[in-house]
Amino acid sequence: MNVFAFDIETVPDVAGGRRLHGLEGLDDHDAAEALLAMRREETGADFLRLPLHRVVVISVAACIGDRFTVFSLGDGGDDEAALIERFFEGIERYVPTLVSWNGSGFDLPVLHYRALIHGLSAPRYWENGDQDRSFRFNNYHNRFHDRHTDLMDVLAGHSGRAVAPLDQVATLCGLPGKLGMSGAAVRHEIEAGNFPGVRDYCEHDVLNTYLLWLRFRLMRGDLDTAGHERECERVREVLAEAGKPHLDRFLAAWTG
């Protein structure tokens, strides 16, 4: 079974905001501030509508066959279409189980809108059984299918009143949780040129998500205790061998 635990990080789409709201003449920072101010006036919060989230990085903790790896798409440039296309190409090639934390409520809808804006194609991802009957009762879009497992939604019993933040659940399970950054800081870090810090933060999130998914598999009986320990040890070995400071920090903080 191939698995992609994934997460995205976004910033305001200032180019789209200029088209929608006539913000020509404002630089990127001021255009973003204007978009956020309009949203606060509309809703009382500055969380933009999902089509106005520009994707800057997609991180994946992947199990492909017997190989585990962590990687990110995006290099700090502006070619959003290319990184989204590469993500969907990975789905086309490996047909993985997707695992997320609130992927149904945020990550996937953002990717849908942004792929639509860029005119991208992702036939395998959108398959619902018309071309491949195996997708009829297990596709990426049905809330109750396993081909995409939104752990936040599943663990909450599909009740919005019962959801919990990834950081809290991971920490309670002895995982590192968030290490020094939050989603609220992403825009400012990108503006300051700290793309590596944002990428590292996103990779921490997908590692937390993947390890919670392993524990979820233990809970529902897909893994026994020994199997769960073997899978966790495989992750530890990969992180230790990677020789990357942010992965070493994650490994050092992993107590459970």
Side-chain angles (χ1 to χ4, degrees):
M1 179 173 59
N2 298 328
V3 179
F4 286 5
F6 73 99
D7 185 45
I8 70 173
E9 300 301 334
T10 68
V11 297
D13 175 16
V14 293
R18 289 187 181 102
R19 288 195 296 274
L20 286 176
H21 300 293
L23 301 178
E24 292 82 1
L26 297 180
D27 64 19
D28 285 354
H29 175 81
D30 289 343
E33 288 294 323
L35 287 173
L36 296 171
M38 285 186 283
R39 188 62 172 159
R40 284 192 296 271
E41 184 175 352
E42 179 183 5
T43 68
D46 59 7
F47 188 77
L48 295 174
R49 293 188 187 277
L50 299 190
L52 280 172
H53 285 254
R54 180 171 67 84
V55 180
V56 293
V57 63
I58 305 174
S59 293
V60 180
C63 184
I64 301 172
D66 293 328
R67 182 173 65 94
F68 177 79
T69 185
V70 182
F71 63 91
S72 293
L73 306 173
D75 59 4
D78 294 326
D79 196 355
E80 179 191 38
L83 71 94
I84 295 174
E85 186 171 41
R86 287 174 61 196
F87 177 72
F88 284 121
E89 285 174 349
I91 294 175
E92 198 79 15
R93 179 177 179 182
Y94 295 108
V95 197
T97 293
L98 296 179
V99 179
S100 69
W101 196 274
N102 195 32
S104 297
F106 178 71
D107 305 74
L108 287 178
V110 168
L111 291 170
H112 298 168
Y113 283 121
R114 303 307 291 181
L116 188 74
I117 289 167
H118 292 298
L120 303 180
S121 178
R124 197 67 168 166
Y125 173 76
W126 287 104
E127 177 63 60
N128 61 10
D130 289 342
Q131 304 301 320
D132 184 338
R133 292 180 63 85
S134 69
F135 276 69
R136 181 163 296 179
F137 301 107
N138 191 19
N139 57 60
Y140 288 115
H141 305 286
N142 189 300
R143 189 179 193 181
F144 305 106
H145 290 178
D146 289 338
R147 206 177 287 273
H148 170 226
T149 299
D150 181 341
L151 282 173
M152 188 186 82
D153 187 42
V154 171
L155 290 170
H158 309 293
S159 169
R161 293 177 297 177
V163 299
L166 172 63
D167 178 50
Q168 291 184 11
V169 177
T171 301
L172 288 169
C173 290
L175 302 176
K178 296 187 184 295
L179 298 173
M181 191 183 292
S182 69
V186 167
R187 174 200 159 204
H188 301 290
E189 294 296 326
I190 291 293
E191 287 184 351
N194 186 23
F195 174 79
V198 171
R199 178 199 57 216
D200 294 350
Y201 160 72
C202 197
E203 291 187 2
H204 287 164
D205 271 1
V206 296
L207 284 166
N208 282 302
T209 301
Y210 182 82
L211 293 169
L212 285 174
W213 180 73
L214 291 181
R215 189 168 291 215
F216 174 66
R217 294 186 68 207
L218 172 66
M219 183 169 66
R220 70 178 186 180
D222 295 338
L223 294 172
D224 60 17
T225 300
H228 176 260
E229 285 301 320
R230 284 195 300 271
E231 292 298 324
C232 289
E233 185 59 30
R234 175 164 55 167
V235 175
R236 287 189 177 95
E237 290 174 356
V238 169
L239 299 187
E241 292 170 359
K244 296 181 178 179
H246 73 291
L247 299 182
D248 291 340
R249 189 153 59 102
F250 186 93
L251 191 57
W254 179 2
T255 61

